[in-house]
Amino acid sequence: MIEAPKILEIRNLSKKFGGLQALSDVSIRVRQGEIASFIGPNGAGKTTLFNMICRLYQPSSGEIRFEDKNLLDFRPHHLARLGIGRTFQNLALFRHGTVIENLLVGMHAHLQAGVLAGVFRFGRAAAEERRAREEVERIVEFLEIEEIRNSPVSVLPYGLQKRVEMGRALATRPRLLLLDEMVSGMNQEETEDIARFVLDLRDELGLTVIMIEHDMNVVMDISDMVHVLNFGVPIASGPPAAVAADPAVIDAYLGRGGS
Amino acid sequence: MRTRTYKETYSQLSSLFPYADTWAWYGVLMAIVLALPWLVPTYIFAYVTLVLIAVIGAVGLNIVTGTAGLISLGQAGFLAIGAYTTGILTTSYGWGLASAMLASGVASAAASLLVGIPSLRLKGLYLAITTLAFSIIVVHLINDADSLTGGSSGLPVRRPDLFGVVPMRSQMAMYFLSLAVAVLVILATLNLLRCRVGRAWAALHDYDIAATLMGINLVRYKLLAFAVSAFIVGLAGSLMALNIRYLNTDSFGLILSIEAIAMIIVGGLGSVRGAVLGAILITLLPDLSRWVLGQFGSFTGSLASGSAAEIKGIIYALVIMFFLRMEPEGLNHQWKRIKRFWSEWPYSH
Ligand SMILES: Nc1ncnc2c1ncn2[C@@H]1O[C@H](COP(=O)(O)OP(=O)(O)OP(=O)(O)O)[C@@H](O)[C@H]1O
Ligand SMILES: [Mg+2]
C-alpha cells in the first residue's frame, strides 16, 4: 500500500514560556486522511501545540509545514484560507449570535463582500449570501442541529455549543481540522455522535483530523495514529494499540489514573 | 395574530423585512413622517430635525461601539470634523451641498484612522480615554486654526441649494434633507450589519481570537469599523452645521460624546433599532425632565433650566446607570417583547 502524502509536518518544535519549557523538540507527521490524536496529562503542551500550528504562539524553535507551505510565514487570519480549521478547548463561540450566524462567520474567508457591496447588496453580494447560507445549511444537516439553527448559541447546552463550534470550524472549509477536547463534558451519546462525525468527515470528505482527547475510548476507537506528550516531551507515537502497550506511556500517562 | 411563516428560499430568509405587514407598518410610519411639516407647527418639525440628526450620529456610533465593541468617546470630535468641513467648504470655498456633505464624511473617516490605529492595541477604558483625548485635541486644533475656522469667534455657515437647484433655505427643506440622510443611513447600516463585514465586527467583539481563525483580519476590521462609523457621524456633523448655520467649538464639548454613548446604551448596544430609539429618547429627555421638574413647582423648574449642561450630565449619568442595571439590552429588548406580545395575541401570555 502506498502511504498517503503528509499534510502536516512538525519538526523539532520547542516552546518556552519564560522559564517553563512547554514543548521540547517535538517532531510529528500527520498524513492526509488520517485521524491523529494528541494525548498526554494536563499541562503536557497539547493546546500549546495547536496554538503554534494556528500561529497564535510563535515557536521558540523548530518548523511547521502544512502541505507544501511553511506555516511560520503566515499569520493567524490566513489559516482559514490555507485550509486549517479549529475548535477551542474552552468554548469560543460568538455568544451574541445564533447558530447560523456563528457558522456564517466561519465562512468569512471564502466570501468577498466588502463595505460597499454589503451596503447596496448588489446582485453579486446577494447571491454570495445565498450561497453561503446554502453551504451553512449543509453543515447544519450534517451535524444534525436543524432544530436549533436559529437559537442564540448562549442558550444552548454545553454539548450542543461544542457541536456548533465544530460546525463553525467546518464552515472555514478545512482540509485539516484541529479539535481540542471536543468530547470532554459530553455524555455517552453525544460523544458517540462526535466520533461518528469525525469518521464521516474523514471517509466522505477526506478531511484530516487531529484531536486532543482525554477520552481514551474515543482515542482508541477512531484514531489511526496516537502521539503522546508528557511535560512537553514526546514519549510515543504509533497506532493506538501499540501506544497503549508502550511501557513509557503506561508509566507516564495511563498509569497515573488517567483512565 | 401573526402565524409562523415558512420561507421557501434562502433569499426570503435573508430579506430585511421577512413579514409583509412589517412593510405596511413602516409604510404608515413613513407617510406620517413625510406629512409631518404640514401636520405640526414649524418648531415641532425643527425639533424632529434635531432628533433625526441625533439618530444618524447614534447609528454611526453604534457600529464601532455597539457592534464592534470598541468604546469611543470621540463622537464630539467626529461631529466637529464633519461640521467644520461642511462649514468651511460651503462658506469659504463655495462647494455644493451634496459634495460638502460627502467630504465631511470622508474627512471624519480619515481622521478616525488616527484614533483607530492606537485602538488596535487598546481596550476598554484605555480606548475610551484615547478617543476622549482625540475629541479634545480636535476642538483645540479647530480653535487654533482661526483663519480657517473662525476660531473662538465662530463660523457662519452658508446653506447652498441642493445640487444647485433645490432651495434649502427653509426649515422644511432641512427637515427633509435630514430625513433622507437618516433613512439612507439606517437602511445602509442594516444591510451592512447582516453581511460579511457586519458579522466580522460582531465576531471580533465577542471573541477576537476565534474571529482571527475564521480569517478575520482584526487590524483591518477594527479600522474599518472606525472609518465607517466616523463617516456616518461626519454626515451627522455636516447636517448639524447646515441646520444651525453657525459653528462654535462650544457646541462640541464632551457632553456630546456622553450623550451619544447614552443613546446607544439606552437603545441596546449593537442594534440599529436600539440606536434609533435611544437617540429619540435621549434627545427628548432634557426637555421632558425640565417639564416634569416644572410640574413640582417653580423652584425645581428654574433649577432644571438654570445650568443646562450640568443638569444634562446628571440626567445622562442616571439614565445610563438605570439601563445598565435594569435593562442592559435596552429599549430594543422592550420593543421585541411588546412586538412578540402583539404578534402572538390573543395567545400571548
Ligand atoms: N500563554 C501562556 N503563557 C504561559 N504559560 C503557558 C501559556 N499557555 C500555556 N502555558 C503553559 O504551558 C503548559 C502547557 O499548557 P497546555 O495548555 O498546552 O497544556 P495541555 O496539554 O493542553 O493541557 P490540558 O490537558 O490541561 O488542556 C502549561 O504548564 C501551561 O501552564
Ligand atoms: Mg489543553
Side-chain angles (χ1 to χ4, degrees):
Chain A
M1 194 181 100
I2 304 166
E3 290 207 305
K6 49 184 184 288
I7 189 168
L8 183 77
E9 175 154 37
I10 295 168
R11 244 184 271 155
N12 309 108
L13 199 67
S14 297
K15 177 70 188 174
K16 259 186 142 155
F17 293 111
L20 177 82
Q21 190 77 39
L23 283 177
S24 340
D25 203 21
V26 176
S27 297
I28 288 173
R29 249 185 224 175
V30 178
R31 297 193 175 276
Q32 211 158 26
E34 193 170 278
I35 297 175
S37 290
F38 292 175
I39 66 170
N42 294 113
K46 306 176 297 290
T47 301
T48 302
L49 195 49
F50 269 17
N51 283 340
M52 286 200 286
I53 296 171
C54 294
R55 305 298 298 113
L56 296 171
Y57 292 168
Q58 185 66 19
S60 307
S61 63
E63 252 186 86
I64 311 174
R65 297 192 70 82
F66 173 68
E67 295 176 338
D68 52 351
K69 297 172 205 81
N70 178 3
L71 267 190
L72 302 187
D73 293 341
F74 294 90
R75 315 232 309 118
H77 64 264
H78 297 134
L79 271 277
R81 193 159 296 138
L82 281 178
I84 299 179
R86 150 179 203 180
T87 67
F88 293 81
Q89 181 168 354
N90 304 309
L91 285 171
L93 286 173
F94 307 123
R95 65 180 185 286
H96 289 104
T98 63
V99 171
I100 290 285
E101 282 162 357
N102 269 270
L103 299 191
L104 284 171
V105 175
M107 291 211 52
H108 183 90
H110 306 287
L111 304 177
Q112 257 100 53
V115 170
L116 282 184
V119 161
F120 295 108
R121 242 178 152 74
F122 290 133
R124 273 241 324 271
E128 173 182 281
E129 277 296 303
R130 217 160 34 240
R131 261 185 290 114
R133 186 62 202 248
E134 274 164 20
E135 184 163 339
V136 158
E137 285 295 335
R138 280 199 297 276
I139 295 172
V140 165
E141 237 166 80
F142 174 77
L143 293 177
E144 299 161 13
I145 48 177
E146 292 93 336
E147 274 89 62
I148 55 160
R149 57 153 78 78
N150 290 318
S151 309
V153 290
S154 54
V155 307
L156 298 176
Y158 182 79
L160 281 179
Q161 293 201 24
K162 282 251 157 188
R163 208 182 274 208
V164 174
E165 209 183 313
M166 184 168 172
R168 187 182 64 181
L170 289 175
T172 65
R173 296 185 189 158
R175 291 188 295 286
L176 173 64
L177 180 63
L178 308 175
L179 303 174
D180 196 344
E181 300 200 17
M182 253 328 265
V183 308
S184 68
M186 288 192 180
N187 63 31
Q188 184 67 24
E189 195 188 331
E190 290 171 324
T191 303
E192 281 167 12
D193 281 344
I194 297 293
R196 180 164 51 86
F197 295 145
V198 169
L199 286 171
D200 285 352
L201 285 172
R202 194 266 307 270
D203 296 341
E204 288 169 21
L205 302 174
L207 250 65
T208 308
V209 183
I210 304 179
M211 311 185 292
I212 292 176
E213 262 321 327
H214 283 298
D215 185 317
M216 278 311 129
N217 293 327
V218 173
V219 170
M220 292 302 151
D221 281 356
I222 67 173
S223 325
D224 301 309
M225 290 292 278
V226 179
H227 305 274
V228 191
L229 288 172
N230 190 29
F231 291 112
V233 182
I235 56 172
S237 282
V243 165
D246 191 314
V249 177
I250 296 170
D251 188 37
Y253 184 71
L254 301 172
R256 284 199 315 207
S259 93
Chain B
M1 188 188 133
R2 181 189 273 163
T3 55
R4 269 283 142 260
T5 318
Y6 288 95
K7 305 285 180 260
E8 285 169 1
T9 66
Y10 292 121
S11 52
Q12 277 177 325
L13 264 176
S14 58
S15 82
L16 210 47
F17 304 112
Y19 301 104
D21 61 341
T22 315
W23 272 115
W25 283 112
Y26 282 108
V28 170
L29 179 65
M30 217 44 223
I32 294 173
V33 171
L34 284 174
L36 199 68
W38 291 278
L39 300 176
V40 299
T42 309
Y43 79 91
I44 301 255
F45 69 78
Y47 199 81
V48 178
T49 308
L50 294 179
V51 173
L52 289 169
I53 296 173
V55 163
I56 298 165
V59 169
L61 177 66
N62 180 55
I63 289 177
V64 73
T65 299
T67 303
L70 304 163
I71 297 175
S72 167
L73 287 177
Q75 187 84 349
F78 295 123
L79 285 170
I81 291 172
Y84 274 88
T85 304
T86 290
I88 292 165
L89 289 179
T90 57
T91 310
S92 316
Y93 293 92
W95 280 43
L97 191 72
S99 45
M101 288 182 69
L102 216 59
S104 286
V106 172
S108 175
S112 80
L113 298 182
L114 292 180
V115 217
I117 289 166
S119 84
L120 302 175
R121 303 199 160 271
L122 303 175
K123 279 191 175 146
L125 197 57
Y126 298 101
L127 180 55
I129 291 170
T130 310
T131 51
L132 177 63
F134 162 81
S135 239
I136 295 170
I137 292 169
V138 166
V139 169
H140 262 280
L141 289 178
I142 291 174
N143 269 334
D144 281 351
D146 48 6
S147 57
L148 203 60
T149 62
S152 51
S153 50
L155 180 75
V157 177
R158 198 173 63 86
R159 198 193 284 164
D161 295 347
L162 183 58
F163 304 122
V165 287
V166 187
M168 291 300 299
R169 271 174 297 280
S170 69
Q171 183 58 48
M172 197 194 278
M174 211 41 229
Y175 171 77
F176 281 115
L177 178 64
S178 308
L179 180 62
V181 176
V183 169
L184 288 178
V185 161
I186 289 170
L187 289 177
T189 307
L190 284 173
N191 267 345
L192 195 54
L193 291 187
R194 67 206 178 92
C195 84
R196 171 177 181 265
V197 178
R199 286 193 299 261
W201 287 332
L204 70 85
H205 179 187
D206 274 350
Y207 216 118
D208 53 358
I209 289 178
T212 311
L213 290 184
M214 305 297 119
I216 295 164
N217 181 341
L218 296 185
V219 173
R220 172 181 310 163
Y221 277 88
K222 284 183 180 180
L223 290 180
L224 203 57
F226 265 106
V228 171
S229 161
F231 180 87
I232 295 173
V233 177
L235 290 180
S238 167
L239 287 170
M240 273 173 80
L242 295 167
N243 193 43
I244 40 184
R245 288 203 263 189
Y246 177 80
L247 287 175
N248 187 305
T249 44
D250 292 347
S251 349
F252 299 99
L254 171 60
I255 193 77
L256 219 55
S257 300
I258 305 288
E259 203 171 62
I261 289 281
M263 288 172 188
I264 62 173
I265 287 178
V266 164
L269 291 172
S271 137
V272 175
R273 187 195 294 118
V276 173
L277 295 176
I280 295 171
L281 182 73
I282 293 290
T283 315
L284 299 182
L285 201 59
D287 295 296
L288 273 181
S289 45
R290 195 167 305 138
W291 181 79
V292 170
L293 286 177
Q295 300 299 302
F296 291 111
S298 58
F299 172 69
T300 48
S302 63
L303 190 75
S305 55
S307 40
E310 283 80 357
I311 294 285
K312 263 191 184 175
I314 293 168
I315 295 173
Y316 296 152
L318 289 175
V319 167
I320 290 177
M321 282 192 282
F322 173 81
F323 270 87
L324 286 181
R325 181 114 191 81
M326 310 303 290
E327 181 53 290
E329 288 175 65
L331 294 172
N332 183 45
H333 185 226
Q334 291 301 328
W335 172 286
K336 283 195 207 153
R337 280 185 43 195
I338 295 168
K339 195 170 84 176
R340 191 169 335 120
F341 180 85
W342 283 111
S343 64
E344 285 168 15
W345 194 85
Y347 301 111
S348 42
H349 42 251

